[in-house]
Amino acid sequence: MNVPPKVIRIGQAVLCVTDLQASRHFYVDLLGLNILHESAEALYLRAVEDREWSLKLELAPTPGVRHIGFKAGSDLDLDRIAALADREGLPHRWDTETDRPRMLRIQDPFGFPIVFYYQSVKYPWLLQRFDLHRGAGIQRVDHCNLFTTDVAAMTRWYIDNLGFRLTEYSEDDSHRLWASWLQNKGHAHDFALTNGKGPKLHHFAYWMPDAMRISQVCDILAGANEEFRIERGPGRHGITNAFFLYLRDPDGHRIELYTGDYLTVDPDFEPIRWNVNDARRQQMWGGIAPRSWFLEGSAVEAFDGGWMRQEETALAGLPAYVR
Amino acid sequence: MNVPPKVIRIGQAVLCVTDLQASRHFYVDLLGLNILHESAEALYLRAVEDREWSLKLELAPTPGVRHIGFKAGSDLDLDRIAALADREGLPHRWDTETDRPRMLRIQDPFGFPIVFYYQSVKYPWLLQRFDLHRGAGIQRVDHCNLFTTDVAAMTRWYIDNLGFRLTEYSEDDSHRLWASWLQNKGHAHDFALTNGKGPKLHHFAYWMPDAMRISQVCDILAGANEEFRIERGPGRHGITNAFFLYLRDPDGHRIELYTGDYLTVDPDFEPIRWNVNDARRQQMWGGIAPRSWFLEGSAVEAFDGGWMRQEETALAGLPAYVR
Amino acid sequence: MNVPPKVIRIGQAVLCVTDLQASRHFYVDLLGLNILHESAEALYLRAVEDREWSLKLELAPTPGVRHIGFKAGSDLDLDRIAALADREGLPHRWDTETDRPRMLRIQDPFGFPIVFYYQSVKYPWLLQRFDLHRGAGIQRVDHCNLFTTDVAAMTRWYIDNLGFRLTEYSEDDSHRLWASWLQNKGHAHDFALTNGKGPKLHHFAYWMPDAMRISQVCDILAGANEEFRIERGPGRHGITNAFFLYLRDPDGHRIELYTGDYLTVDPDFEPIRWNVNDARRQQMWGGIAPRSWFLEGSAVEAFDGGWMRQEETALAGLPAYVR
Amino acid sequence: MNVPPKVIRIGQAVLCVTDLQASRHFYVDLLGLNILHESAEALYLRAVEDREWSLKLELAPTPGVRHIGFKAGSDLDLDRIAALADREGLPHRWDTETDRPRMLRIQDPFGFPIVFYYQSVKYPWLLQRFDLHRGAGIQRVDHCNLFTTDVAAMTRWYIDNLGFRLTEYSEDDSHRLWASWLQNKGHAHDFALTNGKGPKLHHFAYWMPDAMRISQVCDILAGANEEFRIERGPGRHGITNAFFLYLRDPDGHRIELYTGDYLTVDPDFEPIRWNVNDARRQQMWGGIAPRSWFLEGSAVEAFDGGWMRQEETALAGLPAYVR
């Protein structure tokens, strides 16, 4: 039997930012993420449950996404993913990062820069150092969401080759797949795919211990006169049952604070289907969402540098409930 | 010395509704307000801290506001208000209601049907019968908000004649008053006045014990597929620091669920000034609000029956942040 | 008519502490109270809604309570209280404090050092500077609780002479008053009286915006390995419906964090009676409370310095539910 | 390689109760669990996220635990567990239950009646029917905790034979294991083992979406005058970081409501060690716990009926912090 290499969960993102002090103010002072390492060129951040860094902000001339990273099941799994990349003719290379001595970077068939790692230096978590929690106490890295022009093919590829499981999806009346939610860690998702001009990152998300702390983030931003960083929410997605809040960082990267999902560990879990025209899938509380939320995202790095050229999707048109 | 009659707090509203079963579903089944009395023509409701009914829904051919009611300091205060009405030539009459044997109804100089009462039959509260709380456990009547064409004159009249105190207000660069918040009970308001076509009721509000329960109301409405009843929020007003949610009942009456304000009992409390063009006064979390919220309201009953004719305000124009 | 001088609300406490750095760590670093003034001898603190300092910690050789302070309705009310003190032969003097140019200090007939003030320098509040809230965001000064040997006489004196109103009380089967809750500000209490060896301070309390933040204080103390500062709670008092938490500061002063009470502004509000043997009055969630909570308190300063000698109460015996 | 049969998560408990109406009042009316099936002899309950029943209450002459049940990875895994039972000489038989056509029941080497199942009839969940949530909205089955005389051997057996992973453990200075927490579902535990007279069930637990809802359960019980059902909490365990509440049902079965744990999906997750004498492991907020919590539990059914005889543990003695 052909068991795919084991991928455990999403683990990290590396975002290029153009003003590290502005980013530090947003992520550390306002959101309360915790600094593990800091230099003139980069900040390595983590939430209170994270034992490793989960977000690197790297100073760069232009904003974008250096890569998204998944934790693999072992170093052997990394080798198997490298073999997969060989077989499929995907650009790939071995790389290192602070605390991560062995990372495999591939460009997936859909243009995304994906890193896999197993080894990672661990630090005592802050989960029970409640006295050190700042801001709203962001708890752990949860997932990312990617814009792609071919949700169906990309969903299939990650299921077949890396063992991800589908939890929810939206399709139109012609059964064309518009979006999918995929996971390995036993919750609603490690990453989601959204139909749109891509490849782009829609958002990177952290899990919060309860809904009230998500409202507290709005208050903190308002107190600092930075309410313009709130793009959407708080609200409740039908899909994943997420209590959500979307922020835009100083470079426009979208960050979601998220809670409210459910377990998906049962082997006979049946993916939940939504009609793409059912507005409840994206906001159970009704109302309209800003156009920017449906269209904008962060460029992702090409394998040899520079940003991937983005292509329009064939499944064009925005749902009626977009503002 | 000319001490005005004592008015303690807002106490009640009587809303005309066109389908009592639809209203019952909304207020009782979904919001969880508690029934004190029920007949084929009316529902008398209260929140868990209320010892008296605070909201009467009365079956009528057309929706509207029968009256807004304030609790006076004593029966003597009612007589003094009657004398005031005589002096000012305001239409007034004595009236009775279930549990309220002696109510004075006036039409104030701005066209609003206002009732004052002191005596009221009290019932054991439900505050500590947590096992009987339903929905999100709405706690107590808090305030109402009225559209009037002359906020300045109406504010002055209630301060001079009924002893209300100003807590917050918004004005434009020419120091013209656009809205005011007035109280006697020691919190941010018993009622507020908003510039607009009037007289109309903007909303009637209940106080909630915390912000999470306000989000829970959104979830409950969503669960029942009645998310379209959510008009605005949740969010945070700059004015009164309210964590707010606005709903529209089946007849279009607007109900606010509210928490987060502060004490105003100090005699040297200085009213807080906001510029009407400062969007933070109405939504500290940024974003836009629906046009309906700024324009729509409930007709109020004329003294001799029928609904008051509404007049346009001279302070026309909507702020830029209206959707 | 003999209208008593107007007292608005509790406003402050001055606590003598023996190690200002230890107190600063507890009140500022852990509880998150905000510093208004700081010197080598004293800290002036406030909660986020307070526009004035509400707690002064004063370096002294022995811990104790310098005084409890109430905000009066005007400077004239202070003069009227001075006249009352003259009439009653109570020790009294005029005093000043930082931000409080005119304070009247009396020793009440029951041995408590009570200060009244009207004028107070006000500072912009922090209520809407959510970005500056620390810890659990303590919101405002709420009340104090005093041990006295004669609850009945002291309750009567404050009602008759200073216009306080009774909200709740406990008595035994012989109708002897064991404890009383008194207010002027329109909530459950400004101060409470507890039968016991006295005069002593049982606790000084701050109001919290919701119950979850009270649990958060427990977590913060636990995170800092200072869980031994938690004496009792969280729990729910039957009396006042308080969601409560009791802490002991480094000098043993008891601080309550409190939420969940109700409005008492109605003139016909009827005081709520509890039987002293009904355990639900002190803990609706059942269980036992530590003996220290029922017996220990802070010494209060005598008018001419030193600490008041404490006398045993005649109503001796602890309820059965004490641990 | 010898890969153990796959066990996914805890799935169910069957508790014998002596008065089904009393149990119904507690679990359904007060806790708000949802009825899937009901007869004169049994109630099948589930939380709002559960798609299957997770708790069966079965009328019986004596209270006890019919069995604890785990969801296996497939029907094949059931066969492999049956083979394991054969090899080990463990009493076992095939059984059926409502909605569960194929259950394997074993008596494990430590005397516990354990059921494994894969197939289960699924029902639409109530997670997003917020309008139907009652009480505090209990979310999903989470774990159980068992008293055994040999924690070390039993921990080893479940790791070696059924693939469970250790997340936390407590041991004394001599490195003798006192308690262990074991999981397969990616959270802190599916079951825990506690040193004590056994075999007995210590508690069966449900996961709650936030800490405030756990406090709400205390209020609901208090409102119904059933606060005596609260045995311990709310509080915060150091182990698993659980925000906990322990209740005793009408037959004395202990139910935990629980939130606050963390993900354990990383293959290199290192189990967390606690010293059994560190009181913080069991209550980070300090204070003492009732003796009953450390000693009492529910009898478990013997393979051929009747209750297992309980034996004393060799690791005797209670920690100093027990009340």
Side-chain angles (χ1 to χ4, degrees):
Chain A
M1 193 178 77
N2 188 14
V3 177
K6 193 159 193 174
V7 177
I8 301 295
R9 60 169 175 91
I10 192 166
Q12 68 183 51
V14 178
L15 302 182
C16 296
V17 300
T18 58
D19 178 340
L20 209 51
Q21 286 318 302
S23 297
R24 193 186 199 283
H25 175 63
F26 176 72
Y27 287 99
V28 179
D29 298 343
L30 297 178
L31 298 196
L33 284 172
N34 305 284
I35 299 176
L36 256 184
H37 310 294
E38 183 169 17
S39 73
E41 286 79 37
L43 269 175
Y44 293 83
L45 303 175
R46 61 168 175 165
V48 298
E49 184 184 323
D50 296 333
R51 286 183 166 86
E52 320 167 342
W53 64 265
S54 51
L55 179 61
K56 178 186 177 186
L57 304 173
E58 192 178 311
L59 190 61
T62 341
V65 179
R66 187 77 77 213
H67 68 246
I68 297 294
F70 291 94
K71 174 143 186 132
S74 66
D75 274 317
L76 182 62
D77 287 303
L78 298 184
D79 298 332
R80 298 181 62 210
I81 299 169
L84 164 71
D86 270 336
R87 273 201 315 277
E88 301 248 339
L90 302 176
H92 61 287
R93 65 172 174 261
W94 293 95
D95 216 342
T96 66
E97 244 294 4
T98 302
D99 293 341
R100 311 262 153 91
R102 194 163 182 261
M103 299 193 326
L104 174 68
R105 176 175 174 146
I106 71 167
Q107 181 175 297
D108 80 9
F110 312 92
F112 288 96
I114 307 291
V115 151
F116 300 90
Y117 69 95
Y118 168 66
Q119 297 176 45
S120 182
V121 178
K122 288 187 170 50
Y123 298 86
W125 69 9
L126 302 171
L127 184 61
Q128 299 189 318
R129 289 302 306 273
F130 299 99
D131 54 320
L132 302 182
H133 295 194
R134 290 166 308 103
I138 293 177
Q139 187 159 340
R140 64 171 171 258
V141 56
D142 193 84
H143 68 265
C144 72
N145 186 311
L146 307 171
F147 274 124
T148 179
T149 56
D150 194 343
V151 173
M154 190 166 168
T155 299
R156 177 51 51 203
W157 194 86
Y158 274 88
I159 290 174
D160 289 347
N161 291 290
L162 293 171
F164 282 94
R165 298 181 57 208
L166 184 65
T167 52
E168 309 205 19
Y169 61 101
S170 64
E171 57 178 23
D172 59 23
D173 296 331
S174 314
H175 296 290
R176 292 181 302 181
L177 194 63
W178 277 67
S180 66
W181 281 257
L182 293 154
Q183 66 86 19
N184 267 336
K185 74 166 167 283
H187 273 262
H189 52 334
D190 283 298
F191 69 105
L193 303 179
T194 297
N195 174 59
K197 190 177 173 181
K200 277 186 309 197
L201 172 72
H202 187 273
H203 66 260
F204 187 69
Y206 281 94
W207 192 84
M208 304 290 289
D210 58 63
M212 192 170 278
R213 287 167 188 265
I214 290 180
S215 295
Q216 189 186 350
V217 173
C218 295
D219 281 336
I220 290 171
L221 289 166
N225 278 303
E226 302 211 24
E227 63 273 10
F228 56 87
R229 303 226 177 273
I230 302 171
E231 185 185 34
R232 184 179 183 194
R236 172 81 70 184
H237 290 315
I239 295 183
T240 75
N241 199 43
F243 191 99
F244 67 80
L245 176 71
Y246 293 95
L247 309 174
R248 300 297 288 270
D249 88 354
D251 286 286
H253 299 305
R254 188 180 289 108
I255 299 294
E256 184 186 9
L257 302 177
Y258 167 96
T259 196
D261 68 345
Y262 53 87
L263 288 193
T264 57
V265 290
D266 286 0
D268 52 357
F269 176 88
E270 286 175 28
I272 301 170
R273 181 193 177 276
W274 296 81
N275 190 301
V276 71
N277 292 314
D278 177 0
R280 288 166 55 87
R281 66 173 182 82
Q282 55 92 35
Q283 172 54 299
M284 288 191 74
W285 298 353
I288 52 179
R291 195 174 173 78
S292 61
W293 188 87
F294 287 91
L295 297 178
E296 298 177 9
S298 301
V300 299
E301 198 183 47
F303 192 74
D304 298 314
W307 307 115
M308 287 297 292
R309 206 168 60 86
Q310 294 163 20
E311 289 173 36
E312 292 294 344
T313 171
L315 291 179
L318 278 178
Y321 45 74
V322 178
R323 187 191 294 169
Chain B
M1 193 177 75
N2 189 15
V3 177
K6 193 159 191 173
V7 177
I8 301 296
R9 61 171 175 88
I10 193 166
Q12 68 183 52
V14 178
L15 301 181
C16 296
V17 300
T18 57
D19 178 342
L20 210 50
Q21 286 319 302
S23 297
R24 193 185 199 284
H25 175 63
F26 176 73
Y27 287 101
V28 178
D29 297 343
L30 297 178
L31 297 196
L33 283 172
N34 305 284
I35 299 176
L36 256 184
H37 311 295
E38 182 168 19
S39 74
E41 286 80 38
L43 268 176
Y44 293 83
L45 304 176
R46 61 168 175 164
V48 297
E49 184 185 323
D50 296 333
R51 287 183 167 85
E52 320 166 341
W53 63 266
S54 51
L55 179 61
K56 178 186 177 186
L57 305 172
E58 193 178 310
L59 189 62
T62 342
V65 180
R66 188 75 80 215
H67 69 244
I68 297 294
F70 291 96
K71 174 143 186 131
S74 66
D75 274 317
L76 182 62
D77 287 303
L78 298 184
D79 297 332
R80 297 182 63 208
I81 299 170
L84 165 70
D86 271 334
R87 271 200 319 275
E88 301 246 339
L90 301 176
H92 61 288
R93 65 171 174 261
W94 293 95
D95 216 342
T96 66
E97 244 295 2
T98 302
D99 294 341
R100 310 263 153 91
R102 195 164 183 259
M103 299 193 326
L104 174 69
R105 177 177 172 144
I106 71 168
Q107 181 175 296
D108 81 8
F110 311 92
F112 288 97
I114 306 291
V115 150
F116 300 91
Y117 69 96
Y118 168 65
Q119 296 176 46
S120 182
V121 177
K122 288 187 170 52
Y123 297 85
W125 69 9
L126 302 171
L127 184 61
Q128 298 188 319
R129 289 301 309 271
F130 298 99
D131 54 321
L132 302 183
H133 295 194
R134 289 167 309 103
I138 294 178
Q139 188 159 341
R140 65 170 171 259
V141 55
D142 193 85
H143 68 265
C144 72
N145 187 312
L146 307 171
F147 273 125
T148 180
T149 57
D150 194 344
V151 173
M154 189 166 168
T155 299
R156 175 53 50 203
W157 194 86
Y158 274 87
I159 289 174
D160 290 348
N161 292 290
L162 293 170
F164 281 94
R165 297 180 59 206
L166 184 66
T167 52
E168 307 206 20
Y169 62 101
S170 64
E171 57 178 25
D172 60 22
D173 296 332
S174 315
H175 296 290
R176 291 182 304 182
L177 194 63
W178 278 67
S180 66
W181 281 256
L182 292 153
Q183 66 85 20
N184 266 336
K185 74 165 166 286
H187 274 262
H189 52 335
D190 283 297
F191 69 106
L193 303 179
T194 297
N195 175 59
K197 191 177 175 182
K200 276 186 308 200
L201 172 72
H202 187 273
H203 66 262
F204 187 68
Y206 280 95
W207 192 85
M208 304 289 289
D210 58 63
M212 192 171 278
R213 287 166 188 266
I214 290 180
S215 296
Q216 190 186 350
V217 172
C218 295
D219 281 337
I220 290 171
L221 290 166
N225 277 303
E226 303 212 24
E227 63 274 9
F228 56 86
R229 304 227 177 273
I230 303 172
E231 185 185 32
R232 185 181 182 193
R236 173 81 70 183
H237 290 314
I239 294 183
T240 75
N241 199 44
F243 191 99
F244 66 81
L245 176 70
Y246 293 95
L247 309 174
R248 300 297 289 270
D249 87 356
D251 286 286
H253 299 306
R254 187 180 289 110
I255 299 294
E256 184 186 8
L257 301 177
Y258 168 95
T259 197
D261 69 345
Y262 53 88
L263 289 192
T264 56
V265 291
D266 286 0
D268 51 356
F269 176 87
E270 286 175 28
I272 300 170
R273 180 191 178 278
W274 295 81
N275 189 301
V276 71
N277 292 315
D278 177 359
R280 286 166 56 87
R281 65 173 185 82
Q282 55 90 37
Q283 173 54 299
M284 287 190 73
W285 298 353
I288 53 178
R291 195 174 173 79
S292 62
W293 189 87
F294 287 92
L295 297 178
E296 298 176 10
S298 301
V300 299
E301 198 184 45
F303 192 73
D304 299 314
W307 306 114
M308 288 296 293
R309 205 170 60 85
Q310 294 163 19
E311 289 172 37
E312 292 294 343
T313 172
L315 291 179
L318 278 179
Y321 45 75
V322 178
R323 190 192 293 170
Chain C
M1 192 177 76
N2 189 14
V3 177
K6 193 159 192 175
V7 177
I8 301 296
R9 60 172 176 88
I10 192 167
Q12 68 184 51
V14 178
L15 301 181
C16 296
V17 300
T18 58
D19 178 342
L20 210 50
Q21 286 318 303
S23 297
R24 193 185 199 283
H25 175 63
F26 176 72
Y27 287 100
V28 178
D29 298 343
L30 297 179
L31 297 195
L33 284 173
N34 305 284
I35 299 175
L36 256 183
H37 311 294
E38 182 168 19
S39 73
E41 286 80 37
L43 268 176
Y44 293 83
L45 304 176
R46 60 168 176 164
V48 297
E49 183 185 322
D50 295 333
R51 286 184 166 87
E52 319 167 342
W53 63 266
S54 51
L55 179 61
K56 178 185 176 187
L57 304 173
E58 193 178 310
L59 189 61
T62 342
V65 180
R66 186 76 80 214
H67 69 245
I68 297 295
F70 291 96
K71 174 144 185 130
S74 67
D75 274 318
L76 182 61
D77 287 305
L78 299 184
D79 298 332
R80 297 181 63 208
I81 299 169
L84 164 71
D86 270 335
R87 270 200 318 276
E88 301 246 339
L90 302 176
H92 61 287
R93 64 171 175 259
W94 294 94
D95 216 342
T96 66
E97 243 295 5
T98 302
D99 294 341
R100 310 262 153 93
R102 193 164 183 261
M103 300 194 325
L104 174 68
R105 176 176 173 144
I106 71 168
Q107 181 175 297
D108 81 9
F110 311 92
F112 288 96
I114 307 291
V115 150
F116 300 91
Y117 69 95
Y118 168 65
Q119 296 176 46
S120 181
V121 178
K122 287 185 170 53
Y123 298 85
W125 68 9
L126 301 171
L127 184 61
Q128 298 188 320
R129 288 302 308 271
F130 299 98
D131 54 320
L132 302 183
H133 295 194
R134 289 166 310 101
I138 294 178
Q139 188 160 340
R140 65 170 171 258
V141 56
D142 192 84
H143 68 265
C144 71
N145 187 312
L146 307 171
F147 273 124
T148 180
T149 56
D150 193 344
V151 173
M154 189 166 168
T155 298
R156 176 52 50 202
W157 194 87
Y158 274 88
I159 290 174
D160 289 347
N161 292 290
L162 293 171
F164 281 93
R165 299 180 57 207
L166 184 66
T167 52
E168 308 206 18
Y169 62 102
S170 64
E171 55 178 26
D172 59 22
D173 295 332
S174 315
H175 296 290
R176 292 181 303 181
L177 194 63
W178 277 67
S180 66
W181 281 256
L182 294 154
Q183 66 86 19
N184 267 335
K185 72 166 167 284
H187 273 262
H189 53 334
D190 283 297
F191 69 105
L193 303 179
T194 297
N195 174 59
K197 190 177 175 182
K200 277 186 307 199
L201 172 71
H202 186 273
H203 66 261
F204 187 69
Y206 280 94
W207 193 84
M208 304 290 289
D210 58 62
M212 192 171 277
R213 287 166 189 266
I214 290 180
S215 295
Q216 190 185 351
V217 172
C218 295
D219 281 335
I220 290 171
L221 290 166
N225 277 303
E226 303 212 22
E227 64 274 9
F228 57 86
R229 304 225 176 275
I230 302 172
E231 185 185 32
R232 185 180 181 193
R236 172 82 68 184
H237 291 316
I239 295 184
T240 76
N241 199 44
F243 190 100
F244 67 80
L245 176 70
Y246 294 94
L247 309 174
R248 301 298 289 269
D249 87 355
D251 286 286
H253 298 306
R254 188 180 289 108
I255 299 294
E256 183 187 8
L257 301 177
Y258 169 96
T259 197
D261 68 346
Y262 53 87
L263 289 192
T264 56
V265 291
D266 286 1
D268 51 357
F269 176 88
E270 287 175 27
I272 300 169
R273 180 191 177 279
W274 296 82
N275 189 301
V276 71
N277 293 314
D278 178 359
R280 288 165 55 87
R281 64 171 187 83
Q282 56 91 36
Q283 172 56 297
M284 288 191 73
W285 298 353
I288 51 178
R291 195 173 172 79
S292 62
W293 188 87
F294 287 91
L295 296 179
E296 299 176 8
S298 301
V300 299
E301 198 184 47
F303 192 73
D304 298 314
W307 306 115
M308 288 295 295
R309 205 170 60 86
Q310 294 163 19
E311 290 173 36
E312 292 294 343
T313 172
L315 292 178
L318 278 178
Y321 45 75
V322 177
R323 189 193 294 169
Chain D
M1 193 178 76
N2 189 12
V3 177
K6 193 160 193 175
V7 178
I8 302 296
R9 59 170 177 90
I10 192 167
Q12 69 185 50
V14 178
L15 301 182
C16 296
V17 299
T18 58
D19 178 342
L20 210 50
Q21 287 317 302
S23 296
R24 194 187 199 281
H25 175 63
F26 176 73
Y27 287 101
V28 178
D29 298 342
L30 297 178
L31 298 194
L33 283 172
N34 305 283
I35 298 176
L36 256 184
H37 311 295
E38 183 169 18
S39 74
E41 286 80 37
L43 268 176
Y44 293 83
L45 304 176
R46 61 168 176 165
V48 297
E49 184 185 322
D50 295 334
R51 287 184 167 86
E52 321 167 341
W53 64 266
S54 51
L55 179 62
K56 178 185 177 187
L57 304 172
E58 192 177 311
L59 190 61
T62 341
V65 180
R66 187 75 78 213
H67 69 245
I68 298 294
F70 291 95
K71 174 144 185 130
S74 66
D75 274 317
L76 182 61
D77 287 303
L78 298 184
D79 298 332
R80 298 182 61 211
I81 299 169
L84 164 70
D86 270 335
R87 270 200 317 277
E88 301 247 339
L90 301 176
H92 60 288
R93 65 171 174 261
W94 294 95
D95 216 342
T96 66
E97 245 294 5
T98 302
D99 294 341
R100 310 263 153 90
R102 193 163 183 263
M103 299 191 327
L104 174 69
R105 177 177 173 144
I106 70 168
Q107 181 175 298
D108 80 9
F110 311 92
F112 288 97
I114 307 290
V115 150
F116 301 89
Y117 69 96
Y118 168 66
Q119 297 177 45
S120 182
V121 178
K122 288 187 170 52
Y123 299 85
W125 68 10
L126 301 171
L127 184 61
Q128 298 188 317
R129 288 303 306 273
F130 299 99
D131 54 321
L132 302 183
H133 295 193
R134 289 165 311 102
I138 293 178
Q139 187 159 341
R140 65 170 170 259
V141 56
D142 193 84
H143 68 265
C144 71
N145 186 312
L146 307 171
F147 273 123
T148 180
T149 57
D150 193 343
V151 173
M154 188 166 169
T155 299
R156 175 52 51 203
W157 194 87
Y158 275 88
I159 290 174
D160 289 347
N161 292 290
L162 293 170
F164 282 93
R165 299 181 58 209
L166 183 66
T167 53
E168 308 206 19
Y169 61 102
S170 64
E171 56 178 25
D172 59 22
D173 295 331
S174 315
H175 296 291
R176 292 182 302 181
L177 194 63
W178 278 66
S180 66
W181 281 256
L182 293 154
Q183 64 86 20
N184 267 335
K185 72 167 167 285
H187 273 262
H189 51 335
D190 283 296
F191 69 106
L193 303 179
T194 297
N195 174 59
K197 190 177 175 182
K200 277 186 308 196
L201 172 70
H202 186 273
H203 66 261
F204 187 68
Y206 281 94
W207 192 85
M208 304 290 290
D210 58 63
M212 193 171 278
R213 287 165 188 267
I214 291 179
S215 295
Q216 190 185 350
V217 173
C218 296
D219 281 336
I220 290 171
L221 289 167
N225 277 303
E226 303 211 22
E227 63 274 10
F228 57 85
R229 304 225 177 274
I230 303 172
E231 185 185 33
R232 185 179 183 195
R236 172 82 69 185
H237 289 315
I239 295 183
T240 75
N241 199 44
F243 190 99
F244 67 81
L245 176 70
Y246 293 94
L247 309 174
R248 300 297 288 270
D249 87 355
D251 286 288
H253 299 306
R254 188 180 288 109
I255 298 295
E256 183 186 10
L257 301 176
Y258 168 96
T259 195
D261 68 345
Y262 52 87
L263 290 191
T264 56
V265 290
D266 287 1
D268 52 357
F269 176 88
E270 287 175 27
I272 301 170
R273 180 193 177 278
W274 296 81
N275 189 302
V276 71
N277 292 313
D278 177 0
R280 287 165 54 87
R281 66 173 183 82
Q282 55 90 35
Q283 172 55 298
M284 287 191 74
W285 298 353
I288 53 178
R291 196 174 171 78
S292 62
W293 188 87
F294 287 91
L295 297 178
E296 299 177 8
S298 301
V300 299
E301 199 183 47
F303 192 74
D304 298 314
W307 306 114
M308 288 296 292
R309 206 169 59 85
Q310 294 163 19
E311 290 172 36
E312 293 294 344
T313 171
L315 291 179
L318 278 178
Y321 45 75
V322 177
R323 189 193 292 169

